[in-house]
Amino acid sequence: MQPFTRHTGLVVPLDRPNVDTDAIIPKQYLKSVRRTGFGPNLFDDWRYLDPGEPGMDHGRRRENPDFVLNQPRYRGATILLARDNFGCGSSREHAVWALMDYGIRVVIAPSFADIFYNNSFKNGLLPVVLPAETVDRLFRAVGAREGYRLTVDLERQEVETPEGERLAFEIEPFRRHRLLQGLDDIALTLQHADEIRAYERRRMREAPWLFQDLLAAETGR
Amino acid sequence: MPAQTLYDKLWEAHVVREEPDGTALLYIDRHLVHEVTSPQAFEGLRLAGRRVWRPATALAVPDHNVPTTDRSRGIADPVSREQVETLERNVREFGITEFGMEDPRQGIVHVIGPEQGATLPGMTVVCGDSHTSTHGALGALAFGIGTSEVEHVLATQCLVQKKSRVMLVQVDGETPPWVTAKDIALAVIGAIGTAGGTGHAMEFAGAAIRALSVEGRMTLCNMSIEAGARAGMVGVDEKTIEYVRGRPFAPRGRLWEQAVAAWGDLHSDAGARFDRVVCLDAGDLEPQVTWGTSPEMVAPVSGRVPDPEAESDEVRARGMRRALEYMGLEPGTALADIAVDKVFIGSCTNSRIEDLRAAAAVVRGRRVAPNVRLAMVVPGSGLVKRQAEAEGLDRVFREAGFEWREPGCSMCLAMNADRLEPGERCASTSNRNFEGRQGQGGRTHLVSPAMAAAAAVAGHFVDVRELAEV
């Protein structure tokens, strides 16, 4: 996984609460069996005026000039400023892949939906929770000044504003550690394979019905 | 021992190890797999040269992409077909049990798990699908995960998790006739909001919950994610045990006796402490109808579309204005005056046999209104379909003008050919009314199966009790 330490980038404001993962990446693109290539379809229904289907030439599609990502001043943004409950709804990790593929490295919001929050860390996308009043203030600052950039420092757990203000954010130590190092979760867990086996042996004695084999049951018990 | 919540007990029984900051390695008993969120996980295993830790714990089924019309010629859409075929290849390669598209037991993953006894009380159940919370109705810890976590569970049988806070949703009183689990779920979401349960596991308790059937509890737990709670659950009682007894993958003989004895403890202890408690009186509830683009935008059927100008919070007011514009609705409109173009009865929320019985009871002897272009029933599984046909429910629906389809997720998320056209308005028994969820530009109103059936025959939303009484 891509490690995350410190990132400076242009901020794009998406001023709506409850942005769901269906909006982030609509269902027709979930038919892909790959992890890449979702960027052109990030926020597809909002971003384009014509209905999108997989395999279309995105260069030929009609962009919605009113949608914030399409405004020239926000082109190339890598930090998404959002409202409450960002990433709610479907568990599709494609939402995180689409944001990353588009170039977003940080999402700042007053709150995130649990599954999206969790998925972000697995891919090196940093979700930053700041108080609603602070986010509100950032929305005003971004709107007021073109080219508004923020620096997000995971090591120090701070967002630095162009005015030099440092906004502290909380993050669980274990998540922070893994993201800073870009560690592979599975490899980490497999270091504890013996403990997993020991758990299984104990559990098999306590709750043997949990160890019925589905395959064996299928082929005749 | 101090009094524990059901969540505490389920959590504790599955902790393999714990980090100093409380992050735990949690053991997973059952992994449900479908075609949309698994291909990248299997690909990850292949790339890293990893095997599946315990293939016997996984059960796979294609449900999101499958056609609900005649399947004899396979899937017409080549991209959908590739995804379903990829699942077939993956389960063969890694030795996982699958109910394929032609299997009579195929269906929506959250319908077939409990139906087969593949999900049981006391289990940890995961699936790359947010509605995995459904299985919590059996007294299990069940929650949705992303694809990286699907890969993690395949490779290690564990997940890296932090303990959630626990919310008790206490629903007392007696639910009036024709007010269903779906209405309770929508009322709860209306009360606490779609982010109300974020960071929490949600336990449903109280007289009204005990009175629900296990299928009703599944509907309720299914919708807990729409309140932001990754897991929903109900403590085990006699109904749970009776529901599980004799199912194909349920334990038998001595193992059954042992299991039932252990399941007796799967409830919150008296005096257990919850981080938050929300109380509702079921006696006050009416059938619910959503009017906006988030499940929290909901009102009783006797109500009206609210006025954003009366909302004091500016962010919320903007959200409401945007929702009303998308939905093509004016503030103050009576919900009962809203006409529908399509009716969808199905989804992992409401496609079980009791749902179909309730809808059929409303439809029986009536006709779908002329302004309704399409009314369809999509049973949750092949076995639900067969049962409904044995009871003659398919005839009731067909004679009324409904289409009777093959099982799958269908128009809940419109990944297959079933979808709304731009501007079409749908009474739907599914779980999400997000913009574009049922098709780009489609307008979704979430209701119970009986309310959807009532809307189909009336051509507009109507309190099902007005129909049921005549």
Side-chain angles (χ1 to χ4, degrees):
Chain A
M1 184 189 68
Q2 210 175 337
F4 188 105
T5 47
R6 183 183 159 90
H7 174 81
T8 303
L10 183 69
V11 182
V12 57
L14 184 63
D15 196 359
R16 339 181 152 169
N18 302 317
V19 171
D20 59 77
T21 53
D22 272 89
I24 299 173
I25 183 82
K27 80 288 260 105
Q28 63 269 36
Y29 302 107
L30 308 190
K31 296 177 185 181
S32 167
V33 294
R34 282 169 283 281
R35 275 177 192 260
T36 53
F38 297 103
N41 304 109
L42 175 69
F43 299 120
D44 199 279
D45 284 2
W46 294 342
R47 203 163 137 202
Y48 301 100
L49 293 169
D50 50 350
E53 286 301 330
M56 285 173 87
D57 176 358
H58 300 292
R60 290 165 179 273
R61 293 182 62 192
R62 285 185 297 129
E63 281 191 349
N64 175 5
D66 294 334
F67 185 56
V68 71
L69 250 62
N70 292 332
Q71 292 168 18
R73 62 181 284 197
Y74 297 120
R75 297 271 176 182
T78 56
I79 298 177
L80 183 71
L81 185 63
R83 294 287 187 184
D84 261 315
N85 202 25
F86 186 84
C88 61
S90 155
S91 64
R92 59 188 71 169
E93 197 161 316
H94 312 64
V96 174
W97 299 334
L99 286 161
M100 292 285 284
D101 200 54
Y102 178 86
I104 301 293
R105 296 298 319 277
V106 181
V107 183
I108 300 175
S111 63
F112 291 90
D114 289 340
I115 303 178
F116 176 87
Y117 186 78
N118 214 44
N119 288 342
S120 299
F121 286 96
K122 311 289 180 191
N123 294 277
L125 177 74
L126 178 62
V128 172
V129 178
L130 290 176
E133 312 80 67
T134 312
V135 170
D136 220 25
R137 199 147 51 76
L138 288 174
F139 265 101
R140 284 196 300 275
V142 173
R145 191 208 292 189
E146 208 168 311
Y148 190 89
R149 295 161 77 83
L150 288 170
T151 295
V152 180
D153 191 323
L154 179 57
E155 197 104 49
R156 303 163 65 107
Q157 294 182 228
E158 281 176 351
V159 177
E160 297 167 27
T161 70
E163 296 81 22
E165 198 185 354
R166 291 171 187 276
L167 311 165
F169 61 88
E170 289 295 318
I171 195 160
E172 288 159 24
F174 200 61
R175 288 188 196 274
R176 174 173 168 275
H177 169 70
R178 285 180 299 171
L179 193 50
L180 282 171
Q181 308 289 327
L183 295 174
D184 172 1
D185 271 5
I186 295 177
L188 279 183
T189 297
L190 287 175
Q191 288 175 3
H192 306 296
D194 288 347
E195 283 169 83
I196 301 172
R197 286 195 199 94
Y199 171 89
E200 285 178 331
R201 281 193 297 274
R202 174 167 63 80
R203 195 70 176 146
M204 216 179 294
R205 288 193 300 274
E206 291 170 0
W209 61 90
L210 293 175
F211 289 80
Q212 293 191 110
D213 189 324
L214 280 187
L215 277 176
E218 269 291 275
T219 49
R221 45 178 83 238
Chain B
M1 200 198 285
Q4 286 186 304
T5 65
L6 171 59
Y7 176 78
D8 294 333
K9 294 178 185 180
L10 292 167
W11 173 269
E12 213 165 74
H14 290 90
V15 172
V16 173
R17 62 172 273 122
E18 211 167 324
E19 300 293 332
D21 77 342
T23 306
L25 211 51
L26 198 69
Y27 193 82
I28 303 304
D29 296 316
R30 180 70 70 229
H31 188 184
L32 304 169
V33 177
H34 66 77
E35 79 277 19
V36 181
T37 56
S38 67
Q40 298 87 349
F42 285 111
E43 185 61 16
L45 290 183
R46 262 193 295 273
L47 288 172
R50 288 177 176 136
R51 59 176 198 93
V52 174
W53 184 278
R54 249 184 89 197
T57 62
L59 177 62
V61 68
D63 55 4
H64 285 60
N65 278 281
V66 298
T68 57
T69 47
D70 178 22
R71 288 179 182 172
S72 55
R73 272 162 301 161
I75 304 176
D77 175 358
V79 198
S80 284
R81 191 170 60 232
E82 189 196 343
Q83 202 163 50
V84 171
E85 288 171 356
T86 302
L87 178 66
E88 283 168 11
R89 270 198 309 279
N90 285 331
V91 298
R92 263 202 310 274
E93 181 181 338
F94 290 96
I96 288 170
T97 308
E98 189 202 16
F99 294 171
M101 211 168 76
E102 302 304 323
D103 194 306
R105 300 165 299 177
Q106 180 271 342
I108 306 173
V109 65
H110 307 308
V111 174
I112 69 165
E115 182 175 83
Q116 290 295 317
T119 49
L120 296 172
M123 273 185 167
T124 41
V125 179
V126 297
C127 174
D129 193 288
S130 60
H131 290 111
T132 310
S133 55
T134 311
H135 308 267
L138 298 170
L141 174 56
F143 53 90
I145 57 179
T147 298
S148 294
E149 290 184 312
V150 170
E151 186 179 339
H152 196 281
V153 174
L154 287 171
T156 71
Q157 207 59 42
C158 293
L159 269 180
V160 180
Q161 289 287 302
K162 199 118 187 233
K163 206 170 172 185
S164 306
R165 282 164 288 169
V166 192
M167 180 187 291
L168 174 67
V169 178
Q170 177 82 20
V171 190
D172 287 316
E174 196 180 331
T175 314
W178 297 99
V179 176
T180 67
K182 180 64 160 287
D183 302 301
I184 298 176
L186 287 170
V188 168
I189 297 164
I192 69 172
T194 48
T198 304
H200 291 79
M202 197 177 264
E203 180 179 339
F204 298 94
I209 307 301
R210 295 266 74 91
L212 284 176
S213 69
V214 173
E215 291 192 3
R217 296 172 190 179
M218 287 182 205
T219 300
L220 194 58
C221 290
N222 172 279
M223 294 287 284
S224 70
I225 184 65
E226 310 314 331
R230 222 174 152 180
M233 59 189 73
V234 176
V236 169
D237 61 8
E238 270 308 308
K239 285 183 182 172
T240 325
I241 307 288
E242 285 316 306
Y243 177 89
V244 175
R245 187 193 298 274
R247 304 225 166 233
F249 292 126
R252 290 172 198 277
R254 207 173 63 84
L255 276 184
W256 170 257
E257 301 303 327
Q258 234 179 317
V260 169
W263 294 343
D265 189 43
L266 293 175
H267 53 79
S268 289
D269 298 329
R273 208 191 65 78
F274 292 87
D275 297 284
R276 190 175 164 198
V277 179
V278 174
C279 296
L280 226 70
D281 190 331
D284 298 339
L285 293 180
E286 274 183 52
Q288 308 281 308
V289 181
T290 67
W291 50 264
T293 54
S294 166
E296 70 186 24
M297 294 173 168
V298 64
V301 62
S302 63
R304 293 176 179 275
V305 175
D307 188 351
E309 304 313 316
E311 171 62 53
S312 55
D313 182 293
E314 189 39 42
V315 175
R316 282 178 68 92
R318 263 207 312 276
M320 287 168 73
R321 276 192 285 269
R322 201 190 142 75
L324 293 186
E325 193 191 325
Y326 181 87
M327 294 297 288
L329 291 174
E330 292 297 325
T333 307
L335 292 177
D337 286 341
I338 300 173
V340 299
D341 304 308
K342 285 185 176 169
V343 174
F344 171 62
I345 297 177
S347 87
C348 58
T349 312
N350 280 131
S351 64
R352 296 176 183 82
I353 191 66
E354 291 174 11
D355 298 320
L356 304 193
R357 285 177 190 147
V362 176
V363 165
R364 197 180 299 274
R366 295 191 166 99
R367 294 279 312 163
V368 170
N371 64 303
V372 175
R373 279 172 227 153
L374 172 70
M376 64 195 285
V377 182
V378 183
S381 73
L383 297 183
V384 169
K385 180 167 187 257
R386 189 184 286 175
Q387 174 68 27
E389 287 170 353
E391 295 178 18
L393 304 185
D394 60 321
R395 272 204 323 279
V396 173
F397 286 118
R398 281 197 171 114
E399 282 167 8
F402 276 83
E403 292 192 13
W404 178 250
R405 298 287 188 92
E406 298 295 325
C409 300
S410 180
M411 207 159 70
C412 172
L413 86 168
M415 266 190 88
N416 68 353
D418 310 334
R419 66 186 65 171
L420 297 181
E421 298 304 322
E424 276 186 336
R425 193 179 294 288
C426 182
S428 178
T429 66
S430 56
N431 39 61
R432 289 183 177 138
N433 50 356
F434 299 159
E435 286 184 26
R437 170 79 179 181
Q438 294 192 293
Q440 199 186 29
R443 294 161 172 168
T444 304
H445 295 265
L446 303 175
V447 288
S448 71
M451 283 289 287
V457 299
H460 56 86
F461 292 106
V462 59
D463 190 332
V464 59
R465 295 172 293 190
E466 291 173 23
L467 287 185
E469 278 161 17
V470 292

